[in-house]
Amino acid sequence: TLGEKLLEHLKSWEDPKRIMEQRIWKPGKEPQVAAATIELFEFLPSTKSTDFVEKLIQATIRLEQVLPLYKNYSSVASPYRTPLARYLCRYPELTMSFFLAEQRLTNDSLNELMQDLLRSKDAQILRDYISR
């Protein structure tokens, strides 16, 4: 699927040294390209599987782990969370089922991500879903 191909493409950004050596984009702009790729997920056909939600969340976490290796970025100011939030708002039930699954409740990186996403101005649909 196109979604799977985009996820595969995002893996390239997990190797900042290789991406920066290619000099395709202006230095410091490379993560913005990955963020724009994540934005595309919002426009893909619907899915009913938590599998794809999980894959995009895990890809975002991996991208954030290497973000400080790019010029002018830190994991605190991730360019990936806004487009991720917009995508996840399409699937509030799948998203919250993923984050609130018992085996994930003790995962600090997932909990931090969920809390940050819920604070995002782009996550009103997720907040509405959990407040029901």
Side-chain angles (χ1 to χ4, degrees):
T1 67
L2 178 56
E4 293 290 338
K5 290 184 187 303
L6 289 172
L7 280 171
E8 190 64 34
H9 186 62
L10 281 172
K11 288 181 182 178
S12 300
W13 274 265
E14 293 175 25
D15 186 357
K17 184 178 179 194
R18 197 178 108 239
I19 289 288
M20 290 185 292
E21 285 174 352
Q22 292 176 352
R23 298 178 191 252
I24 297 172
W25 301 279
K26 290 174 85 172
K29 299 291 184 187
E30 302 91 350
Q32 291 176 3
V33 176
T37 302
I38 294 172
E39 281 184 46
L40 295 174
F41 285 89
E42 181 183 358
F43 304 103
L44 295 178
S46 293
T47 181
K48 300 292 182 221
S49 167
T50 58
D51 187 47
F52 201 69
V53 167
E54 179 175 0
K55 287 178 182 179
L56 188 56
I57 290 169
Q58 296 294 352
T60 301
I61 289 171
R62 288 191 307 275
L63 290 169
E64 288 182 344
Q65 289 171 342
V66 298
L67 193 57
L69 302 175
Y70 287 102
K71 185 177 179 179
N72 301 325
Y73 282 94
S74 71
S75 56
V76 174
S78 172
Y80 309 128
R81 293 192 180 193
T82 296
L84 177 64
R86 289 182 188 141
Y87 172 76
L88 295 178
C89 280
R90 290 184 61 196
Y91 310 101
E93 184 176 350
L94 294 175
T95 297
M96 297 319 298
S97 292
F98 170 80
F99 279 117
L100 298 176
E102 188 174 341
Q103 70 271 21
R104 293 188 191 96
L105 290 174
T106 57
N107 183 316
D108 291 338
S109 62
L110 286 174
N111 281 321
E112 187 271 324
L113 176 60
M114 179 184 68
Q115 290 173 33
D116 191 55
L117 289 171
L118 289 172
R119 286 189 293 265
S120 165
K121 66 179 172 60
D122 297 293
Q124 185 63 48
I125 292 171
L126 295 178
R127 289 191 298 276
D128 291 346
Y129 179 81
I130 62 170
S131 67
R132 291 194 239 170

